[in-house]
Amino acid sequence: MTGPHLSPKEQIVLRRFSEGATCSRIAHELGISEVSLRVYSHRMRKALGARSIAHAVLLGCRAGLLDGQPQRHGDHAGYTAHLRRGEEPCEPCRLGERAYRSTQRAGNREVA
């Protein structure tokens, strides 16, 4: 059985949604507007027969479009994933954690 056909950008959008990225974050990473991202998202959901992004991720997993757990690197989630697995965090994750903590500290200063 062959799965649904998704364009390369639709595959990226599905993958990034499966990793928990927001629309604005994905649009920024792809260098497109949020309106364009929503078009890719709509086409991807239509190709999968999904009613929502969460449903698209589920159907994408079932169709074999998303292999296993997403591997995160270079951010707070990637850093903590290394720690949960008992690994020493890689350099991109260490830098991502440092950036995450500095934004958290900056946010705490604004509240105080």
Side-chain angles (χ1 to χ4, degrees), residues 2-36:
T2 61
H5 175 72
L6 299 179
S7 73
K9 278 213 177 157
E10 291 166 353
Q11 291 175 15
I12 292 169
V13 170
L14 178 62
R15 164 83 48 206
R16 293 298 289 130
F17 276 130
S18 77
E19 295 168 349
T22 63
C23 287
S24 59
R25 174 64 145 194
I26 298 169
H28 177 73
E29 289 173 0
L30 294 176
I32 59 176
S33 71
E34 285 190 52
V35 172
S36 295

Side-chain angles (χ1 to χ4, degrees), residues 43-61:
R43 288 181 189 159
M44 178 246 329
R45 285 180 299 171
K46 187 175 178 184
L48 292 168
R51 294 180 301 274
S52 66
I53 295 298
H55 192 215
V57 169
L58 173 69
L59 295 175
C61 285

Side-chain angles (χ1 to χ4, degrees), residues 52-91:
S52 66
I53 295 298
H55 192 215
V57 169
L58 173 69
L59 295 175
C61 285
R62 287 181 180 167
L65 299 173
L66 300 169
D67 53 344
Q69 293 286 339
Q71 296 296 314
R72 303 226 13 204
H73 282 285
D75 61 3
H76 171 69
Y79 180 86
T80 57
H82 282 293
L83 296 179
R84 281 193 306 270
R85 292 189 299 257
E87 302 169 350
E88 185 67 27
C90 63
E91 190 60 24

